[in-house]
Amino acid sequence: MNLNNRIAVCPGSYDPVTNGHLDVIGRASRVFDEVVVGVVNLPHRKGKTLFTTPERIGFIERATEHFGNVRVEAFSNLLVDFARSVGAKSIVKGLRAISDFEYELEMHQLNRRQAPDVESVYLMASPQYSFLSSSGVKELATFGGNIDDLVPDFVATRLKEELSR
Ligand code: PNS
């Protein structure tokens, strides 16, 4: 590990990754030397995921390979411990509407209390993604809505397969 590298963690459940997540990851990859996308193995608050951890990781790897400084890892421990384990001093998250703020403020306080040395950084969602969420995409896909501009093509294909069962 090069100690001069500025490494950021972009954490989330990514069930599945959306174009909004990819926008934040891409923007973080221009600000930091290296971005580690941390995929929560078993989301504590959200219950069972639609996609397995290897599949969620595979989607992100495929969608971010062109950035060149992004890698993807699963984690099952505290986010701040995961950040420290990969040498990251920053956690980067996207903020969409006001509704995100309250949840993220709570997460920020929890994380800061555990690890004051790990700074959380928030990127405002790009306008075209400000109401995009994995759960919204899954709901649209369940009822045959158009999700083509919301997730990468290969994710849309797998979502349609999975939800048509
Ligand atoms: O809303 P998401 O995408 O499921 O967020 C997941 C995560 C890890 C970013 C969020 O829950 C968080 O910031 N948690 C901090 C507390 C923690 O470390 N929990 C353990 C996660 S394995």
Side-chain angles (χ1 to χ4, degrees), residues 10-14 21 38-46 75-81 91 93 103-104 106-108 110-111 114:
C10 286
S13 311
Y14 300 107
H21 294 132
V39 176
V40 180
N41 199 10
L42 296 172
H44 183 63
R45 298 182 185 225
K46 296 189 174 169
F75 72 102
S76 307
N77 52 346
L78 273 182
L79 171 58
V80 289
D81 289 340
I91 294 168
K93 291 182 166 186
Y103 172 73
E104 292 302 346
E106 181 189 341
M107 290 300 122
H108 176 261
L110 291 179
N111 291 332
Q114 296 297 316

Side-chain angles (χ1 to χ4, degrees), residues 13-95:
S13 311
Y14 300 107
D15 186 39
V17 70
T18 68
N19 289 343
H21 294 132
L22 294 169
D23 179 60
V24 170
I25 294 166
R27 287 160 61 198
S29 80
R30 292 196 287 275
V31 177
F32 291 88
D33 297 312
E34 192 181 340
V35 171
V36 181
V37 179
V39 176
V40 180
N41 199 10
L42 296 172
H44 183 63
R45 298 182 185 225
K46 296 189 174 169
K48 193 176 166 357
T49 55
L50 179 65
F51 295 104
T52 63
T53 303
E55 196 162 23
R56 285 180 283 137
I57 289 177
F59 290 152
I60 305 169
E61 283 178 339
R62 190 165 165 191
T64 60
E65 60 192 1
H66 61 287
F67 293 130
N69 63 342
V70 175
R71 64 191 169 87
V72 190
E73 280 186 32
F75 72 102
S76 307
N77 52 346
L78 273 182
L79 171 58
V80 289
D81 289 340
F82 172 69
R84 282 172 169 156
S85 73
V86 298
K89 289 268 179 223
S90 307
I91 294 168
V92 174
K93 291 182 166 186
L95 272 186

